[in-house]
Amino acid sequence: LVTGVGRVGQIGHAVARGLGRGGAKLLLADVNAVGLADRVKEFAAEGIAAKASAGDLTQPEAGRHAVAAAQAQFGGLDIVVNVAGGFFSYGPFTEVTPETLDRELAVNFKTAFFVCQAAVPALLARGTGGGSIVNFASIAAVRSLMHMAAYAAAKSAVAGLTRALAREYRDAGLRVNAVAPA
């Protein structure tokens, strides 16, 4: 299951293509239904097995639907890569509006949180060591960057979620890691 795959040239697109070329069967999730349909066609032309689950991943139901679709289409779930996110605010901290903060937290943190919450039982049910989750944080979570307070806070939350899940599920064999591009 790879999130954030609706647009060509984005990290999610590259991650999904790489996994598919490595033999993975893909369930692609994104809010962009048209883009997802295009990715499925594109990957099919390359011989990559891919299905789509369109939905607003900032809502728990969309994560549950994507996990259920992966289980129904492919008989289970082994890997989750949470790439979905975005950068919506740049400017002085004192000018961040509540709406902008809510959007940064929803798109960058809630997506990963809700997809992980839906996926953990499915990953553990596989009985193959628990599977793997890879969350995309950002260099903004570990390095001070000016004018990016809301984004940095959201990506720091992703990093914290990753550490918490890694500890909580390590004895069950579930691997949870984060990467921080840039």
Side-chain angles (χ1 to χ4, degrees), residues 22-182:
K25 296 174 185 171
L26 304 173
L27 192 292
L28 310 175
D30 198 288
V31 70
N32 180 352
V34 173
L36 280 178
D38 290 345
R39 297 302 71 71
V40 168
K41 289 177 194 171
E42 171 190 344
F43 291 157
E46 295 182 33
I48 297 171
K51 300 292 182 182
S53 178
D56 180 357
L57 295 170
T58 68
Q59 301 301 311
E61 302 80 35
R64 289 192 296 265
H65 183 266
V67 169
Q71 291 176 299
Q73 292 292 324
F74 304 119
L77 184 62
D78 296 306
I79 302 168
V80 173
V81 185
N82 283 307
V83 185
F87 180 71
F88 305 103
S89 62
Y90 182 83
F93 171 71
T94 56
E95 294 177 15
V96 175
T97 65
E99 296 79 18
T100 300
L101 177 60
D102 287 345
R103 186 169 186 203
E104 290 283 5
L105 290 170
V107 172
N108 290 296
F109 175 65
K110 283 185 172 183
T111 56
F113 186 95
F114 291 138
V115 170
C116 286
Q117 195 171 48
V120 165
L123 291 165
L124 295 175
R126 291 293 278 173
T128 57
S132 180
I133 296 172
V134 179
N135 291 324
F136 271 66
S138 168
I139 194 69
V142 294
R143 183 181 299 159
S144 299
L145 301 173
M146 285 184 53
H147 301 297
M148 298 175 69
Y151 178 77
K155 289 301 190 173
S156 294
V158 171
L161 172 67
T162 302
R163 287 189 302 273
L165 295 179
R167 179 151 188 149
E168 185 169 343
Y169 293 103
R170 70 180 176 197
D171 291 342
L174 178 60
R175 294 175 316 280
V176 186
N177 295 284
V179 294

